[in-house]
Amino acid sequence: MSTIRKRRLLLPLAVAATVGFALTACTGDIANESAEDVDCSEYEEYGTYEGASVTIGGTIVDIEADRLVESWTDFSNCTGIEIDYQGSQEFEAQIAVLAEGGNAPDIGFVPQPGLVERLADGGWLIPASADVEANADEWWTEDWKAYGTVDDVFYGAPLMSNIKGYIWYSPSEFEENGWEIPATLDELRDLSDEIVAAGDHKPWCVGLESGVATGWPGTDWVEDYVLRLQGADYYDQWVTHEIPFNDPGIVEAFDEVGEYLKNEDMVNGGIGDVSTLVTEAFGTAGLPILDGECSLHHQASFYETFWNAEGGDEVTVASNGDVFGFMLPPENAGDPLAVTGGGEIVTAFTDAEEVEVVRTYLSSDTWANNRVSLGGVISANLGVDPENASSELLVQSIEILQNPETTFRFDGSDLMPGAVGADSFWSGIVDWVTGSDTQSVVDAIEASWPSS
Amino acid sequence: MTTEDLVGKILQVVMGLVVFAAIVGLLIFFIDKAPKKGRDYWQLAGFLLPALILVAIGLVWPAIRTTFLAFQDNSGAWSLDNFVWMFTQPAAIRTLINTVIWVLLVPTFATLVGLAYAIFIDKSRGERYFKALVFMPMAISFVGAGIIWRFVYEYRSGDREQIGILNAIVVAFGGEPVQWLQTDPINTILLIVVMIWIQTGFAMVVLSAAIKGIPTEQIEAAQLDGTNAWQRFRNVTVPGIRGSIVVVLTTISIATLKVFDIVRTMTAGNFNTSVVANEMYTQAFRASEVGRGSALALILFVMVLPIIVYNIRILRQQREIR
């Protein structure tokens, strides 16, 4: 071999080596090597499965996904089950297609009971093992267990939760003006009128824009009002279509919400007039509260992280801080709290021992406490110690969830068929706030309800 | 993922390529050794079959299955519900009407503007730069264009600073800012403008090349006959490039029928702007109404069909002339 030939070989080899080294930095080698010795006594009951691996798909992305992965690292190291999580915002749209093609992940975190039902009807889901069911019975209420149950078959336990129906406000503004936290819906209305009368800004700020899902924050409003005005039984019949969508009770709830959302005096504080509801992104809509241009903002518990959009902790979320939330009150003073909320169901597409072991762990109080301690989320798992939650609001949310007096109902649009819950209900809200009357909107949504 | 996995994956890719090359090599080897009798047919089959099989798996079978699904409801029973829904629901009818508006406006305007531009800059100084200017939007993806134009139409309420150029102009002339993308029916027209902006460059380039292909003798003869510029354009240029105009019109029409990304990025189909392709995706994947999505896909296919047929016929005629 001549020297020229040697040189020709040397360069590509050098390049390949450099690229190889650079790639090791991107891959998980280093993380694997630095896995410390953890105390595995907690995980002994699960046994060890050397070389087993489980893939998980879900809608959770970015920092939330990192925390999720962190929450099962110890379990993974102790049991030897490698867990590979892939988050995608298109997960809900793709999972049925993947399942039908036989390419679904082993486990799917499905955020909608309606979708669980559809996947079960397609025959793609593996019923939960006895261990998972035992955990569900021990750590979750009947309501929550029912969300993973289709036709009396239990397909999966819940994972995390969020509570909707918080009204965000500025505690200092309330104190200065001597406003009380409303205890009934009427008091909330009186408070709003009082702010309107004061005349220096509109009381509510609302944002419904959310890309292809524009309109969903408005469905939360309607669901909250249906649950409070018509009660839990009515709500259950509404989401299962035993009560039609254009029932007078639903119209009433819409009109009550319309008193705020379609009222030029009430919205849109610090943003503009009523027409800006559909252009204002849901993530930024509450921020005028910080400038005193708006006093009230209706959004779920997850909105806590949106106050500091840039990260950091400039805005303090606490009952004596810059902003805090109170639960949308019941209709009559002293009624027990009724809250709507959401969560994920841990479904399985692969029938394997290691998959069930992972599901068992995810439905245990150990995991729930692990994840809640990492911050930013809550779980309805009854074994969670509220004090583990990362903020005052989340502690309060867990206490609401664990209170036996609380009536909890899953977000209605997630329970309805996709044609309504992920399509016509959203677009109906958009039409409604941009001028259509209530009756024609609920009639259109009713007409879109699939026949089968 | 560890390096070991990565190396494994790279090896898999390499193996796949090697296997593919081996199969093709074997195929060619055997075709070469085909029996003398009917060798042409053996070779024909050998080269055509792989492509035909792939087309059958990837195109023909899905098309047939979509057709079946369009006539089924969610439980798999045969019914015409999906078509009833499509032609009775106001929202669905609006989707069909919007698509028709798109197909009427986009090809017409893109071709007209492209043709006029091509004529005006023909043989001018700096023609290449003028062409590049108009052709540039072609290089932008529809999603990218959608995001750019969303900023153009951006709305801020009256007392705040306008960041959308269109509203900034309106306010500068003392008007009130308008919610462009939320106001029906102007919003559909504004979305159509985006598509025209993208497609004009394509029309201009193709037509410009065709104009240059017209023999100068014809133009000179027309000049000697004392025609003015408009008559020359009407009676010499346009007949000379008729074939190209048809190709441009049909190509843009088909692209327009399939339009999805612009609508999805800019309005997500809200505010009465949805078109068939967008609604098809929404119904099939978001609303999990596969039947309705398939019915819309079928309608789209039916809409494209006459354009394709017309296109092929024109091309045939041209070939006969030559």
Side-chain angles (χ1 to χ4, degrees):
Chain A
M1 203 189 259
S2 68
T3 46
I4 293 178
R5 285 283 292 282
K6 263 191 198 153
R7 227 181 261 166
R8 264 196 204 160
L9 268 179
L10 205 62
L11 186 67
L13 275 179
V15 170
T18 323
V19 170
F21 281 123
L23 279 174
T24 48
C26 311
T27 56
D29 296 10
I30 291 152
N32 263 13
E33 283 161 18
S34 65
E36 292 160 40
D37 294 329
V38 286
D39 174 20
C40 281
S41 58
E42 267 189 88
Y43 302 105
E44 270 171 10
E45 57 181 293
Y46 296 108
T48 52
Y49 301 83
E50 243 2 276
S53 70
V54 171
T55 55
I56 302 182
T59 47
I60 300 151
V61 290
D62 301 338
I63 184 166
E64 296 287 326
D66 295 343
R67 287 173 174 163
L68 206 51
V69 170
E70 197 181 331
S71 71
W72 57 58
T73 308
D74 288 357
F75 167 84
S76 193
N77 285 331
C78 292
T79 55
I81 302 175
E82 199 178 308
I83 300 177
D84 178 22
Y85 176 76
Q86 293 279 349
S88 153
Q89 291 176 325
E90 292 286 314
F91 175 80
E92 291 134 302
Q94 289 167 350
I95 187 65
V97 181
L98 289 173
E100 194 173 0
N103 299 319
D106 298 333
I107 292 177
F109 295 159
V110 181
Q112 298 156 348
L115 186 53
V116 172
E117 197 174 332
R118 186 182 161 215
L119 294 168
D121 289 343
W124 303 307
L125 293 186
I126 309 295
S129 63
D131 290 347
V132 177
E133 186 145 16
N135 270 346
D137 289 330
E138 185 173 0
W139 301 116
W140 262 280
T141 58
E142 280 296 309
D143 286 343
W144 275 98
K145 190 187 170 190
Y147 295 127
T149 307
V150 182
D151 299 334
D152 298 330
V153 181
F154 178 63
Y155 286 102
L159 188 73
M160 293 178 289
S161 324
N162 59 59
I163 295 191
K164 298 180 184 271
Y166 269 112
I167 311 281
W168 296 88
Y169 69 105
S170 156
S172 55
E173 187 192 15
F174 270 52
E175 204 168 323
E176 279 165 31
N177 295 297
W179 299 332
E180 290 289 316
I181 302 285
T184 66
L185 291 178
D186 287 341
E187 282 181 29
L188 180 67
R189 187 64 212 277
D190 296 341
L191 171 65
S192 307
D193 287 335
E194 195 178 327
I195 299 172
V196 172
D200 61 342
H201 64 260
K202 294 178 182 178
W204 291 87
C205 36
V206 181
L208 305 180
E209 198 276 328
S210 175
V212 290
T214 297
W216 70 259
T219 67
D220 288 358
W221 274 88
V222 173
E223 287 151 10
D224 271 333
Y225 269 79
V226 171
L227 186 60
R228 283 162 180 74
L229 296 175
Q230 320 299 358
D233 290 346
Y234 183 98
Y235 186 93
D236 291 339
Q237 292 170 327
W238 172 51
V239 298
T240 53
H241 206 216
E242 288 160 47
I243 288 174
F245 207 106
N246 49 5
D247 189 78
I250 305 299
V251 174
E252 185 197 356
F254 262 89
D255 288 334
E256 285 288 317
V257 174
E259 296 285 339
Y260 300 116
L261 298 196
K262 295 179 74 151
N263 185 338
E264 203 67 68
D265 299 334
M266 293 284 183
V267 290
N268 204 350
I271 298 161
D273 55 11
V274 168
S275 70
T276 58
L277 260 60
V278 289
T279 52
E280 184 66 22
F282 80 93
T284 54
L287 302 182
I289 290 184
L290 302 175
D291 310 325
E293 294 174 327
C294 144
S295 304
L296 302 161
H297 178 64
H298 174 278
Q299 189 52 279
S301 58
F302 68 73
Y303 202 74
E304 188 179 19
T305 54
F306 284 69
W307 294 107
N308 294 302
E310 309 293 317
D313 50 5
E314 260 179 68
V315 178
T316 50
V317 182
S319 52
N320 55 3
D322 300 317
V323 283
F324 200 58
F326 61 84
M327 186 53 63
L328 181 69
E331 189 179 13
N332 306 307
D335 281 1
L337 272 185
V339 297
T340 57
E344 303 87 13
I345 308 294
V346 183
T347 58
F349 298 90
T350 309
D351 196 359
E353 203 177 350
E354 60 266 24
V355 171
E356 290 308 319
V357 168
V358 172
R359 289 217 284 168
T360 308
Y361 170 61
L362 292 177
S363 58
S364 69
D365 57 331
T366 318
W367 181 82
N369 278 308
N370 261 358
R371 177 61 195 90
V372 169
S373 306
L374 292 171
V377 298
I378 54 172
S379 169
N381 190 306
L382 298 172
V384 171
D385 179 0
E387 295 310 314
N388 281 339
S390 57
S391 74
E392 191 184 345
L393 183 97
L394 294 180
V395 171
Q396 178 185 316
S397 303
I398 294 179
E399 282 165 353
I400 290 174
L401 280 175
Q402 293 186 346
N403 180 349
E405 292 293 298
T406 304
T407 308
F408 179 86
R409 284 294 178 271
F410 215 94
D411 181 320
S413 50
D414 290 340
L415 297 169
M416 295 170 186
V420 178
D423 187 20
S424 64
F425 197 177
W426 292 345
S427 50
I429 290 284
V430 171
D431 293 342
W432 181 66
V433 297
T434 48
S436 302
D437 67 289
T438 306
Q439 194 61 49
S440 66
V441 167
V442 291
D443 287 345
I445 298 174
E446 171 63 22
S448 75
W449 203 288
S451 48
S452 53
Chain B
M1 191 163 88
T2 61
T3 310
E4 212 176 321
D5 298 338
L6 193 73
V7 170
K9 283 203 162 68
I10 292 172
L11 273 178
Q12 262 182 354
V13 172
V14 173
M15 273 305 291
L17 291 172
V18 167
V19 169
F20 176 75
I23 289 176
V24 172
L26 269 177
L27 192 73
I28 291 175
F29 174 78
F30 279 116
I31 288 172
D32 196 44
K33 290 269 179 287
K36 279 267 192 311
K37 197 172 160 225
R39 172 172 286 195
D40 288 357
Y41 289 101
W42 279 104
Q43 290 184 338
L44 196 69
F47 283 116
L48 265 183
L49 266 181
L52 282 179
I53 289 168
L54 288 176
V55 165
I57 295 172
L59 195 73
V60 178
W61 170 238
I64 293 170
R65 192 162 169 268
T66 302
T67 313
F68 284 152
L69 285 172
F71 292 98
Q72 290 177 350
D73 60 14
N74 270 350
S75 58
W78 297 96
S79 78
L80 289 172
D81 282 358
N82 300 319
F83 292 92
V84 172
W85 167 82
M86 194 161 41
F87 295 111
T88 56
Q89 275 280 307
I93 293 172
R94 188 60 208 260
T95 300
L96 295 173
I97 292 172
N98 281 345
T99 304
V100 171
I101 295 172
W102 275 79
V103 173
L104 289 178
L105 292 183
V106 175
T108 325
F109 277 91
T111 313
L112 277 178
V113 175
L115 179 60
Y117 193 83
I119 298 269
F120 286 132
I121 64 164
D122 197 38
K123 297 195 181 71
S124 68
R125 282 183 54 195
E127 180 180 351
R128 273 194 305 194
Y129 302 104
F130 291 133
K131 269 191 186 172
L133 269 181
V134 174
F135 191 68
M136 242 183 263
M138 275 292 284
I140 302 174
S141 72
F142 282 21
V143 174
I147 291 169
I148 292 169
W149 282 84
R150 242 177 93 161
F151 281 118
V152 172
Y153 301 141
E154 185 72 43
Y155 166 89
R156 287 275 182 277
S157 55
D159 44 0
R160 293 206 276 176
E161 194 186 349
Q162 298 297 332
I163 65 164
I165 188 162
L166 200 55
N167 272 325
I169 293 168
V170 170
V171 171
F173 282 101
E176 277 292 303
V178 183
Q179 300 240 32
W180 296 111
L181 289 176
Q182 285 72 32
T183 315
D184 173 42
I186 184 106
N187 48 15
T188 296
I189 304 296
L190 291 170
L191 295 187
I192 286 172
V193 167
V194 181
M195 184 91 173
I196 293 172
W197 179 72
I198 295 175
Q199 294 292 359
T200 300
F202 166 74
M204 184 263 310
V205 167
V206 175
L207 295 176
S208 173
I211 289 167
K212 292 195 187 322
I214 298 172
T216 37
E217 294 87 349
Q218 289 183 12
I219 307 275
E220 279 168 7
Q223 269 173 331
L224 288 175
D225 288 340
T227 52
N228 62 26
W230 172 248
Q231 287 170 322
R232 272 205 302 281
F233 170 73
R234 278 282 300 110
N235 301 317
V236 182
T237 310
V238 171
I241 60 171
R242 179 162 291 149
S244 300
I245 291 181
V246 169
V247 168
V248 168
L249 272 175
T250 49
T251 311
I252 298 181
S253 301
I254 293 167
T256 307
L257 275 171
K258 294 189 302 186
V259 73
F260 160 77
D261 358 32
I262 292 179
V263 175
R264 191 172 151 92
T265 26
M266 291 182 74
T267 62
N270 277 317
F271 320 112
N272 287 333
T273 55
S274 196
V275 290
V276 170
N278 181 64
E279 202 56 27
M280 177 179 96
Y281 179 86
T282 303
Q283 291 299 333
F285 299 109
R286 210 175 73 191
S288 32
E289 290 289 327
V290 179
R292 290 175 186 177
S294 303
L296 286 160
L298 205 61
I299 287 290
L300 201 58
F301 182 68
V302 170
M303 283 168 131
V304 171
L305 218 52
I307 300 176
I308 304 253
V309 171
Y310 177 70
N311 202 353
I312 291 172
R313 275 187 49 198
I314 293 285
L315 285 177
R316 276 233 180 101
Q317 281 172 10
Q318 292 225 318
R319 215 172 283 150
E320 281 160 19
I321 292 167
R322 281 180 206 143

